[in-house]
PDB file of all heavy atoms in Angstrom:
ATOM      1  N   GLU A   1     -40.782 131.083   2.280  1.00 78.00           N
ATOM      2  CA  GLU A   1     -41.536 130.108   1.531  1.00 78.00           C
ATOM      3  C   GLU A   1     -41.165 130.282   0.011  1.00 78.00           C
ATOM      4  O   GLU A   1     -41.077 129.212  -0.689  1.00 78.00           O
ATOM      5  CB  GLU A   1     -43.036 130.295   1.800  1.00 78.00           C
ATOM      6  CG  GLU A   1     -43.459 129.815   3.117  1.00 78.00           C
ATOM      7  CD  GLU A   1     -44.961 130.061   3.322  1.00 78.00           C
ATOM      8  OE1 GLU A   1     -45.718 130.059   2.307  1.00 78.00           O
ATOM      9  OE2 GLU A   1     -45.363 130.253   4.460  1.00 78.00           O
ATOM     10  N   LEU A   2     -41.114 131.523  -0.482  1.00 79.00           N
ATOM     11  CA  LEU A   2     -40.786 131.686  -1.897  1.00 79.00           C
ATOM     12  C   LEU A   2     -39.369 131.143  -2.210  1.00 79.00           C
ATOM     13  O   LEU A   2     -39.192 130.517  -3.186  1.00 79.00           O
ATOM     14  CB  LEU A   2     -40.756 133.184  -2.257  1.00 79.00           C
ATOM     15  CG  LEU A   2     -42.220 133.736  -2.457  1.00 79.00           C
ATOM     16  CD1 LEU A   2     -42.094 135.276  -2.688  1.00 79.00           C
ATOM     17  CD2 LEU A   2     -42.924 133.088  -3.605  1.00 79.00           C
ATOM     18  N   ILE A   3     -38.402 131.418  -1.234  1.00 79.00           N
ATOM     19  CA  ILE A   3     -37.092 130.880  -1.496  1.00 79.00           C
ATOM     20  C   ILE A   3     -37.051 129.374  -1.516  1.00 79.00           C
ATOM     21  O   ILE A   3     -36.365 128.720  -2.251  1.00 79.00           O
ATOM     22  CB  ILE A   3     -36.130 131.414  -0.358  1.00 79.00           C
ATOM     23  CG1 ILE A   3     -35.962 132.945  -0.559  1.00 79.00           C
ATOM     24  CG2 ILE A   3     -34.821 130.737  -0.434  1.00 79.00           C
ATOM     25  CD1 ILE A   3     -35.250 133.605   0.569  1.00 79.00           C
ATOM     26  N   ALA A   4     -37.941 128.771  -0.668  1.00 79.00           N
ATOM     27  CA  ALA A   4     -38.008 127.340  -0.641  1.00 79.00           C
ATOM     28  C   ALA A   4     -38.554 126.722  -1.945  1.00 79.00           C
ATOM     29  O   ALA A   4     -38.250 125.645  -2.296  1.00 79.00           O
ATOM     30  CB  ALA A   4     -38.844 126.887   0.628  1.00 79.00           C
ATOM     31  N   GLU A   5     -39.344 127.545  -2.636  1.00 83.00           N
ATOM     32  CA  GLU A   5     -39.957 127.058  -3.904  1.00 83.00           C
ATOM     33  C   GLU A   5     -39.065 127.195  -5.057  1.00 83.00           C
ATOM     34  O   GLU A   5     -39.295 126.683  -6.171  1.00 83.00           O
ATOM     35  CB  GLU A   5     -41.308 127.807  -4.086  1.00 83.00           C
ATOM     36  CG  GLU A   5     -42.429 127.501  -3.126  1.00 83.00           C
ATOM     37  CD  GLU A   5     -42.854 126.050  -3.221  1.00 83.00           C
ATOM     38  OE1 GLU A   5     -43.037 125.497  -4.329  1.00 83.00           O
ATOM     39  OE2 GLU A   5     -43.102 125.411  -2.094  1.00 83.00           O
ATOM     40  N   LEU A   6     -38.052 127.999  -5.000  1.00 83.00           N
ATOM     41  CA  LEU A   6     -37.160 128.282  -6.150  1.00 83.00           C
ATOM     42  C   LEU A   6     -36.567 126.938  -6.791  1.00 83.00           C
ATOM     43  O   LEU A   6     -36.599 126.885  -8.041  1.00 83.00           O
ATOM     44  CB  LEU A   6     -35.992 129.161  -5.810  1.00 83.00           C
ATOM     45  CG  LEU A   6     -36.468 130.644  -5.693  1.00 83.00           C
ATOM     46  CD1 LEU A   6     -35.248 131.484  -5.202  1.00 83.00           C
ATOM     47  CD2 LEU A   6     -36.944 131.170  -7.043  1.00 83.00           C
ATOM     48  N   PRO A   7     -36.148 125.989  -6.083  1.00 84.00           N
ATOM     49  CA  PRO A   7     -35.644 124.749  -6.706  1.00 84.00           C
ATOM     50  C   PRO A   7     -36.719 124.069  -7.555  1.00 84.00           C
ATOM     51  O   PRO A   7     -36.395 123.551  -8.639  1.00 84.00           O
ATOM     52  CB  PRO A   7     -35.180 123.829  -5.604  1.00 84.00           C
ATOM     53  CG  PRO A   7     -34.865 124.791  -4.481  1.00 84.00           C
ATOM     54  CD  PRO A   7     -35.851 125.942  -4.678  1.00 84.00           C
ATOM     55  N   LYS A   8     -37.988 124.058  -7.085  1.00 85.00           N
ATOM     56  CA  LYS A   8     -39.025 123.401  -7.849  1.00 85.00           C
ATOM     57  C   LYS A   8     -39.326 124.221  -9.103  1.00 85.00           C
ATOM     58  O   LYS A   8     -39.612 123.629 -10.157  1.00 85.00           O
ATOM     59  CB  LYS A   8     -40.353 123.350  -6.998  1.00 85.00           C
ATOM     60  CG  LYS A   8     -40.208 122.410  -5.796  1.00 85.00           C
ATOM     61  CD  LYS A   8     -41.490 122.474  -4.974  1.00 85.00           C
ATOM     62  CE  LYS A   8     -41.333 121.716  -3.665  1.00 85.00           C
ATOM     63  NZ  LYS A   8     -42.500 121.863  -2.817  1.00 85.00           N
ATOM     64  N   VAL A   9     -39.235 125.557  -9.018  1.00 86.00           N
ATOM     65  CA  VAL A   9     -39.458 126.351 -10.172  1.00 86.00           C
ATOM     66  C   VAL A   9     -38.289 126.102 -11.204  1.00 86.00           C
ATOM     67  O   VAL A   9     -38.608 126.061 -12.406  1.00 86.00           O
ATOM     68  CB  VAL A   9     -39.443 127.843  -9.724  1.00 86.00           C
ATOM     69  CG1 VAL A   9     -39.433 128.752 -11.009  1.00 86.00           C
ATOM     70  CG2 VAL A   9     -40.692 128.123  -8.889  1.00 86.00           C
ATOM     71  N   MET A  10     -37.103 126.030 -10.710  1.00 85.00           N
ATOM     72  CA  MET A  10     -36.025 125.665 -11.580  1.00 85.00           C
ATOM     73  C   MET A  10     -36.188 124.352 -12.315  1.00 85.00           C
ATOM     74  O   MET A  10     -35.944 124.164 -13.546  1.00 85.00           O
ATOM     75  CB  MET A  10     -34.653 125.739 -10.815  1.00 85.00           C
ATOM     76  CG  MET A  10     -34.240 127.098 -10.390  1.00 85.00           C
ATOM     77  SD  MET A  10     -32.776 127.064  -9.327  1.00 85.00           S
ATOM     78  CE  MET A  10     -31.550 126.413 -10.393  1.00 85.00           C
ATOM     79  N   LEU A  11     -36.629 123.331 -11.572  1.00 86.00           N
ATOM     80  CA  LEU A  11     -36.923 122.044 -12.213  1.00 86.00           C
ATOM     81  C   LEU A  11     -38.038 122.157 -13.276  1.00 86.00           C
ATOM     82  O   LEU A  11     -37.949 121.570 -14.348  1.00 86.00           O
ATOM     83  CB  LEU A  11     -37.306 120.985 -11.098  1.00 86.00           C
ATOM     84  CG  LEU A  11     -36.141 120.385 -10.283  1.00 86.00           C
ATOM     85  CD1 LEU A  11     -36.673 119.541  -9.228  1.00 86.00           C
ATOM     86  CD2 LEU A  11     -35.197 119.676 -11.178  1.00 86.00           C
ATOM     87  N   ALA A  12     -39.089 122.885 -12.950  1.00 86.00           N
ATOM     88  CA  ALA A  12     -40.183 123.106 -13.846  1.00 86.00           C
ATOM     89  C   ALA A  12     -39.680 123.859 -15.155  1.00 86.00           C
ATOM     90  O   ALA A  12     -40.042 123.483 -16.257  1.00 86.00           O
ATOM     91  CB  ALA A  12     -41.318 123.844 -13.218  1.00 86.00           C
ATOM     92  N   MET A  13     -38.766 124.781 -14.905  1.00 88.00           N
ATOM     93  CA  MET A  13     -38.280 125.552 -16.084  1.00 88.00           C
ATOM     94  C   MET A  13     -37.376 124.609 -16.982  1.00 88.00           C
ATOM     95  O   MET A  13     -37.457 124.590 -18.201  1.00 88.00           O
ATOM     96  CB  MET A  13     -37.452 126.757 -15.632  1.00 88.00           C
ATOM     97  CG  MET A  13     -38.327 127.855 -15.178  1.00 88.00           C
ATOM     98  SD  MET A  13     -37.378 129.269 -14.582  1.00 88.00           S
ATOM     99  CE  MET A  13     -36.486 129.712 -15.949  1.00 88.00           C
ATOM    100  N   ALA A  14     -36.614 123.702 -16.275  1.00 87.00           N
ATOM    101  CA  ALA A  14     -35.767 122.724 -17.042  1.00 87.00           C
ATOM    102  C   ALA A  14     -36.654 121.849 -17.844  1.00 87.00           C
ATOM    103  O   ALA A  14     -36.322 121.555 -19.017  1.00 87.00           O
ATOM    104  CB  ALA A  14     -34.934 121.957 -16.099  1.00 87.00           C
ATOM    105  N   ASP A  15     -37.744 121.409 -17.319  1.00 88.00           N
ATOM    106  CA  ASP A  15     -38.694 120.564 -18.104  1.00 88.00           C
ATOM    107  C   ASP A  15     -39.306 121.326 -19.309  1.00 88.00           C
ATOM    108  O   ASP A  15     -39.455 120.863 -20.382  1.00 88.00           O
ATOM    109  CB  ASP A  15     -39.820 120.076 -17.175  1.00 88.00           C
ATOM    110  CG  ASP A  15     -39.325 119.019 -16.193  1.00 88.00           C
ATOM    111  OD1 ASP A  15     -38.222 118.414 -16.441  1.00 88.00           O
ATOM    112  OD2 ASP A  15     -40.040 118.758 -15.179  1.00 88.00           O
ATOM    113  N   MET A  16     -39.683 122.626 -19.028  1.00 90.00           N
ATOM    114  CA  MET A  16     -40.168 123.428 -20.095  1.00 90.00           C
ATOM    115  C   MET A  16     -39.132 123.656 -21.286  1.00 90.00           C
ATOM    116  O   MET A  16     -39.540 123.563 -22.392  1.00 90.00           O
ATOM    117  CB  MET A  16     -40.715 124.707 -19.632  1.00 90.00           C
ATOM    118  CG  MET A  16     -41.931 124.659 -18.771  1.00 90.00           C
ATOM    119  SD  MET A  16     -42.704 126.192 -18.369  1.00 90.00           S
ATOM    120  CE  MET A  16     -41.522 126.972 -17.316  1.00 90.00           C
ATOM    121  N   ILE A  17     -37.950 123.907 -20.807  1.00 90.00           N
ATOM    122  CA  ILE A  17     -36.866 124.055 -21.826  1.00 90.00           C
ATOM    123  C   ILE A  17     -36.651 122.754 -22.627  1.00 90.00           C
ATOM    124  O   ILE A  17     -36.528 122.847 -23.886  1.00 90.00           O
ATOM    125  CB  ILE A  17     -35.555 124.481 -21.146  1.00 90.00           C
ATOM    126  CG1 ILE A  17     -35.652 125.927 -20.651  1.00 90.00           C
ATOM    127  CG2 ILE A  17     -34.390 124.363 -22.070  1.00 90.00           C
ATOM    128  CD1 ILE A  17     -34.545 126.391 -19.754  1.00 90.00           C
ATOM    129  N   GLU A  18     -36.767 121.646 -21.995  1.00 89.00           N
ATOM    130  CA  GLU A  18     -36.526 120.360 -22.648  1.00 89.00           C
ATOM    131  C   GLU A  18     -37.745 120.145 -23.669  1.00 89.00           C
ATOM    132  O   GLU A  18     -37.502 119.710 -24.788  1.00 89.00           O
ATOM    133  CB  GLU A  18     -36.462 119.238 -21.648  1.00 89.00           C
ATOM    134  CG  GLU A  18     -36.124 117.939 -22.328  1.00 89.00           C
ATOM    135  CD  GLU A  18     -35.868 116.821 -21.192  1.00 89.00           C
ATOM    136  OE1 GLU A  18     -36.152 117.110 -20.075  1.00 89.00           O
ATOM    137  OE2 GLU A  18     -35.359 115.769 -21.635  1.00 89.00           O
ATOM    138  N   ARG A  19     -38.981 120.515 -23.264  1.00 91.00           N
ATOM    139  CA  ARG A  19     -40.139 120.339 -24.114  1.00 91.00           C
ATOM    140  C   ARG A  19     -39.999 121.261 -25.297  1.00 91.00           C
ATOM    141  O   ARG A  19     -40.259 120.934 -26.486  1.00 91.00           O
ATOM    142  CB  ARG A  19     -41.380 120.568 -23.389  1.00 91.00           C
ATOM    143  CG  ARG A  19     -41.802 119.370 -22.463  1.00 91.00           C
ATOM    144  CD  ARG A  19     -43.239 119.455 -22.090  1.00 91.00           C
ATOM    145  NE  ARG A  19     -43.643 120.704 -21.441  1.00 91.00           N
ATOM    146  CZ  ARG A  19     -43.655 120.867 -20.105  1.00 91.00           C
ATOM    147  NH1 ARG A  19     -43.476 119.909 -19.328  1.00 91.00           N
ATOM    148  NH2 ARG A  19     -44.032 122.050 -19.633  1.00 91.00           N
ATOM    149  N   ALA A  20     -39.571 122.502 -25.111  1.00 91.00           N
ATOM    150  CA  ALA A  20     -39.337 123.433 -26.100  1.00 91.00           C
ATOM    151  C   ALA A  20     -38.249 122.983 -27.088  1.00 91.00           C
ATOM    152  O   ALA A  20     -38.498 123.159 -28.328  1.00 91.00           O
ATOM    153  CB  ALA A  20     -38.988 124.812 -25.530  1.00 91.00           C
ATOM    154  N   ASN A  21     -37.262 122.366 -26.578  1.00 91.00           N
ATOM    155  CA  ASN A  21     -36.138 121.850 -27.411  1.00 91.00           C
ATOM    156  C   ASN A  21     -36.721 120.738 -28.328  1.00 91.00           C
ATOM    157  O   ASN A  21     -36.336 120.640 -29.472  1.00 91.00           O
ATOM    158  CB  ASN A  21     -35.031 121.366 -26.620  1.00 91.00           C
ATOM    159  CG  ASN A  21     -33.819 121.006 -27.424  1.00 91.00           C
ATOM    160  OD1 ASN A  21     -33.581 121.608 -28.393  1.00 91.00           O
ATOM    161  ND2 ASN A  21     -33.118 119.961 -26.933  1.00 91.00           N
ATOM    162  N   ASN A  22     -37.617 119.872 -27.770  1.00 91.00           N
ATOM    163  CA  ASN A  22     -38.230 118.783 -28.526  1.00 91.00           C
ATOM    164  C   ASN A  22     -39.083 119.382 -29.707  1.00 91.00           C
ATOM    165  O   ASN A  22     -39.034 118.874 -30.814  1.00 91.00           O
ATOM    166  CB  ASN A  22     -39.026 117.926 -27.687  1.00 91.00           C
ATOM    167  CG  ASN A  22     -38.165 117.014 -26.736  1.00 91.00           C
ATOM    168  OD1 ASN A  22     -36.979 116.866 -27.009  1.00 91.00           O
ATOM    169  ND2 ASN A  22     -38.767 116.629 -25.698  1.00 91.00           N
ATOM    170  N   VAL A  23     -39.732 120.447 -29.374  1.00 93.00           N
ATOM    171  CA  VAL A  23     -40.672 121.112 -30.369  1.00 93.00           C
ATOM    172  C   VAL A  23     -39.744 121.668 -31.487  1.00 93.00           C
ATOM    173  O   VAL A  23     -39.988 121.479 -32.634  1.00 93.00           O
ATOM    174  CB  VAL A  23     -41.561 122.157 -29.780  1.00 93.00           C
ATOM    175  CG1 VAL A  23     -42.287 122.998 -30.896  1.00 93.00           C
ATOM    176  CG2 VAL A  23     -42.586 121.487 -28.891  1.00 93.00           C
ATOM    177  N   ILE A  24     -38.672 122.361 -31.114  1.00 92.00           N
ATOM    178  CA  ILE A  24     -37.716 122.973 -32.069  1.00 92.00           C
ATOM    179  C   ILE A  24     -37.114 121.840 -32.971  1.00 92.00           C
ATOM    180  O   ILE A  24     -37.015 122.003 -34.197  1.00 92.00           O
ATOM    181  CB  ILE A  24     -36.673 123.735 -31.362  1.00 92.00           C
ATOM    182  CG1 ILE A  24     -37.306 124.993 -30.775  1.00 92.00           C
ATOM    183  CG2 ILE A  24     -35.564 124.097 -32.311  1.00 92.00           C
ATOM    184  CD1 ILE A  24     -36.371 125.734 -29.817  1.00 92.00           C
ATOM    185  N   ASP A  25     -36.780 120.732 -32.351  1.00 91.00           N
ATOM    186  CA  ASP A  25     -36.236 119.627 -33.135  1.00 91.00           C
ATOM    187  C   ASP A  25     -37.254 119.075 -34.150  1.00 91.00           C
ATOM    188  O   ASP A  25     -36.915 118.844 -35.333  1.00 91.00           O
ATOM    189  CB  ASP A  25     -35.800 118.450 -32.291  1.00 91.00           C
ATOM    190  CG  ASP A  25     -34.525 118.801 -31.533  1.00 91.00           C
ATOM    191  OD1 ASP A  25     -33.854 119.712 -31.865  1.00 91.00           O
ATOM    192  OD2 ASP A  25     -34.302 118.048 -30.455  1.00 91.00           O
ATOM    193  N   ARG A  26     -38.493 118.951 -33.747  1.00 93.00           N
ATOM    194  CA  ARG A  26     -39.644 118.530 -34.712  1.00 93.00           C
ATOM    195  C   ARG A  26     -39.763 119.521 -35.840  1.00 93.00           C
ATOM    196  O   ARG A  26     -39.922 119.125 -36.961  1.00 93.00           O
ATOM    197  CB  ARG A  26     -40.890 118.338 -33.933  1.00 93.00           C
ATOM    198  CG  ARG A  26     -41.045 116.933 -33.359  1.00 93.00           C
ATOM    199  CD  ARG A  26     -42.430 116.750 -32.839  1.00 93.00           C
ATOM    200  NE  ARG A  26     -42.330 116.611 -31.406  1.00 93.00           N
ATOM    201  CZ  ARG A  26     -43.027 117.136 -30.503  1.00 93.00           C
ATOM    202  NH1 ARG A  26     -44.045 117.890 -30.824  1.00 93.00           N
ATOM    203  NH2 ARG A  26     -42.864 116.926 -29.216  1.00 93.00           N
TER     204      ARG A  26
END
């Protein structure tokens, strides 16, 4: 089950990185 959740975690991390990048740009 944990292995099955890894892609979702990766997508969530990608979203967080994108939000952090937007904050850094601001």
Side-chain angles (χ1 to χ4, degrees):
E1 287 178 27
L2 285 174
I3 292 170
E5 292 296 318
L6 283 176
K8 293 178 188 172
V9 171
M10 289 174 63
L11 284 173
M13 286 178 61
D15 289 340
M16 287 189 296
I17 290 171
E18 190 172 8
R19 286 197 303 262
N21 188 35
N22 289 338
V23 170
I24 290 169
D25 287 345
R26 272 190 245 135

